[in-house]
Amino acid sequence: MTGYRRALGPRPARPGPLAPDLAGWPAEGAAPGASVLLSQLATTWPGAELRGGDAAVVDCTHDSRQVRPGWLFCALTGTRTDGHHHAAAAVAAGARALLVQRFLELDVPQLRVPNVRWAIGPIAAALHGCPAERLSIAGVTGTNGKTTTSYLLHAAFVAAGWRAGQLGTVETRIGEHRWASALTTLEAPDLQRVFARMRAERVRAAAMEVSSHALDQHRVAGIAFDVGVFTNLSAEHLDYHGTMEQYYYTKSLLFVPGRCRQALVCVDDEWGRRLAAQALVPVLTFGHSEGAEARITETCCDRHGTRIRLDCADGLVELSAPVLGSCNSTNLAAAYLTARAMRVPADEAAAGMAGCAPIPGRSELVDAGQPFLVVVDYAHTPGALAGQLATCRDLVGPGGRVHLVVGCRGGRDRYKRPETGRVAAGADTAILTSDSPGDEDPRVIVEQMLIGVLDRPDHRVVLEPDRAAAIRLAVARAEPGDAVLVVGRGHETTQQVAGRELPFDDREHARAALAARGWPPARRSAVRRRRRAERRGHGVTVGDLTHGTVEEARLGFTDPADEVSPRAVPPP
């Protein structure tokens, strides 16, 4: 693996503000005021050079907006900004010392290292007393299934009577405390601060999602996972990694000595089989494949969840969880096997998974008493979308139809947009819409998705850039026995549009659409949020930014506008 060339350099995500209860959590979970000398931290990284005297620091951050008095500011160099340019602001905010790649003309102690990105993890870990070493941590990676597997694993920990933690795309959990997440995997200083709090609150085990970005950007440096889990791999984040080979290589970095002690690898795709053969740590394979050491022999799904039979070291085990779709069968197996590897008793692991609370935005049902299904899911890759469509087909049977609402995110991998459109054409109604367009024109994104269905002239596709209108249209078309599937955003409650962060929750809009058809009204809280947003000047929608009309066209005509049924969209 050492021979791989890097396709692209690291691209740090912009951090968000920390939850107030986590910001400033002291080193080693000790009482406020605990500190570590900069000279001690220098010993954790070969070649570190200290200038300007020594200093005692109590915490660290890579974000000058988060700095508090007595902190160490770590000047990360990224593709969009250089942390060294913000060092003066950090010092003004109370930073007692700096971690830098080049010495700056600032009158504070500075620790210079060859690469701040590489050093920040181990230094943050040392500052907090290496809290991860005192926890049992499972790291889950893969293109799809990380969140569901982590939630099921956390439920198994709790069922065993353990105080548990969880870190991932939806939220961070420490015991009964919960915070919304800004990143799938936190930046190293934030991550070590969370582990310090977990240790202080006597957490025994944690389930953690590990993204490819986090591995590439060394965010998990300084952490040794008890178990590393690989779920699957399909085309995703190629705008960042460049190629599937580089994407695979980055994922494989979790499964090396010093990073994880044992690997659980799903071998249902070629990448999993390759990883199982190449990993340098002990491996247990699982999946549906004949060659899997722990094999799923039977899967059964209905509207209440998924059940599997797993042939493993515990014998033939029956497992269930309230998650929809056969695509979750490997997630059940992964969670159970990981729990067992971490010494959760078999009965408690199975019971915890069976009693797991609904996972936000993951095959989440919106039920207002209507005679058809409404499902909201985070699926944002062609593979995940195909799995959700198959699930809905199974649930509605041969007499039901599936009405799909799907978009692609702006500023992300453009290569998958036509493929997403092609997969979407498998629905009875495919409504192509916006997701979170960011700085891109949502109509351009939709047109790129449309490329994937140009070879299907008999298929009806609806173009509706306004996502709220798209959800209303899907619900309006649904009849008894049908399913409405809204994918791409899942648990998210805001939308990035032309530099603005707008409130938008697929589940709330689905409830409002159902209320318009006579089922119980949307919750008042959603109405209040919308009105507050309008008062703040955020009443604009994606549809207001498209400068056009909605098109509903049967493809294959020389001019699709022959069947256009326009609805005027007011200009911005």
Side-chain angles (χ1 to χ4, degrees), residues 361 363 375-381 384-389 392 403-409 420 424 431 433-435 449 467 471 484-490 506:
S363 298
V375 182
V376 174
D377 191 77
Y378 191 60
H380 56 281
T381 67
L385 173 58
Q388 286 299 318
L389 281 173
C392 285
H403 309 283
L404 172 68
V405 177
V406 61
C408 287
R409 198 151 298 198
T420 299
I431 306 175
T433 188
S434 64
D435 186 309
M449 296 173 64
R467 191 174 182 91
I471 294 172
V484 173
L485 176 61
V486 184
V487 300
R489 296 173 39 77
D506 284 351

Side-chain angles (χ1 to χ4, degrees), residues 283-298:
V283 175
L284 174 67
T285 61
F286 69 95
H288 296 87
S289 301
E290 290 288 343
E293 295 170 275
R295 184 167 169 262
I296 300 168
T297 61
E298 186 178 343

Side-chain angles (χ1 to χ4, degrees), residues 418-444:
E419 179 65 9
T420 299
R422 186 192 68 78
V423 175
D428 295 284
T429 303
I431 306 175
L432 308 185
T433 188
S434 64
D435 186 309
S436 221
D439 294 328
E440 290 193 63
D441 183 342
R443 295 186 68 86
V444 172

Side-chain angles (χ1 to χ4, degrees), residues 268-451:
D268 285 349
D269 64 34
E270 60 175 309
W271 303 104
R273 292 187 289 273
R274 180 171 164 184
L275 178 62
Q278 294 178 340
L280 302 177
V281 296
V283 175
L284 174 67
T285 61
F286 69 95
H288 296 87
S289 301
E290 290 288 343
E293 295 170 275
R295 184 167 169 262
I296 300 168
T297 61
E298 186 178 343
T299 300
C300 181
C301 304
D302 58 27
R303 300 186 183 199
H304 302 291
T306 301
R307 299 181 297 279
I308 68 169
R309 286 184 177 175
L310 180 66
D311 189 358
C312 61
D314 291 335
L316 193 60
V317 180
E318 294 191 1
L319 303 171
S320 65
V323 292
L324 298 180
S326 58
C327 55
N328 281 304
S329 59
T330 53
N331 298 332
L332 267 71
Y336 177 80
L337 293 169
T338 304
R340 295 292 290 126
M342 298 175 74
R343 302 191 177 184
V344 175
D347 290 344
E348 281 84 345
M353 292 165 55
C356 182
I359 302 170
R362 301 309 187 272
S363 298
E364 185 174 351
L365 292 175
V366 179
D367 188 359
Q370 74 279 3
F372 53 85
L373 288 175
V374 177
V375 182
V376 174
D377 191 77
Y378 191 60
H380 56 281
T381 67
L385 173 58
Q388 286 299 318
L389 281 173
T391 293
C392 285
R393 287 287 184 205
D394 291 341
L395 293 176
V396 301
R401 299 179 302 162
V402 178
H403 309 283
L404 172 68
V405 177
V406 61
C408 287
R409 198 151 298 198
R412 299 286 182 88
D413 187 356
R414 293 173 173 82
Y415 306 110
K416 70 180 181 183
R417 292 174 183 173
E419 179 65 9
T420 299
R422 186 192 68 78
V423 175
D428 295 284
T429 303
I431 306 175
L432 308 185
T433 188
S434 64
D435 186 309
S436 221
D439 294 328
E440 290 193 63
D441 183 342
R443 295 186 68 86
V444 172
I445 298 175
V446 170
E447 288 166 1
Q448 292 172 347
M449 296 173 64
L450 191 60
I451 294 171

Side-chain angles (χ1 to χ4, degrees), residues 5-200:
R5 294 183 64 233
R6 293 179 50 79
L8 294 171
R11 182 181 301 169
R14 181 179 178 181
L18 289 178
D21 289 346
L22 291 180
W25 190 260
E28 299 187 73
S35 61
V36 178
L37 290 174
L38 199 60
S39 57
Q40 291 176 293
L41 298 179
T43 64
T44 65
W45 197 257
E49 181 182 354
L50 182 60
R51 178 181 293 184
D54 209 349
V57 293
V58 297
D59 206 327
C60 64
T61 183
H62 59 288
D63 187 344
S64 60
R65 299 166 298 180
Q66 295 175 356
V67 169
R68 295 184 178 183
W71 283 29
L72 170 68
F73 174 67
C74 307
L76 284 176
T77 300
T79 58
R80 299 181 182 179
T81 187
D82 184 347
H84 294 77
H85 298 157
H86 302 281
V91 172
R96 190 170 291 167
L98 304 173
L99 178 67
V100 296
Q101 289 176 202
R102 60 180 183 274
F103 288 120
L104 303 174
E105 296 299 322
L106 294 170
D107 190 22
V108 291
Q110 300 176 42
L111 182 62
R112 186 176 70 175
V113 293
N115 190 310
V116 172
R117 170 59 73 186
W118 294 351
I120 190 172
I123 286 177
L127 175 55
H128 287 286
C130 299
E133 293 180 0
R134 301 178 179 89
L135 299 167
S136 293
I137 306 173
V140 184
T141 198
T143 304
N144 301 308
K146 296 187 295 296
T147 299
T148 299
T149 301
S150 296
Y151 267 86
L152 294 174
L153 180 56
H154 180 271
F157 293 155
V158 173
W162 298 1
R163 190 163 175 80
Q166 183 181 348
L167 303 96
T169 306
V170 177
E171 61 184 344
T172 296
R173 303 169 73 178
I174 302 176
E176 62 278 3
H177 305 296
R178 308 168 87 147
W179 297 266
S181 293
L183 297 170
T184 295
T185 309
L186 297 171
E187 283 284 359
D190 303 337
L191 195 54
Q192 295 298 333
R193 186 182 301 109
V194 169
F195 285 145
R197 175 157 183 172
M198 284 185 180
R199 184 58 190 166

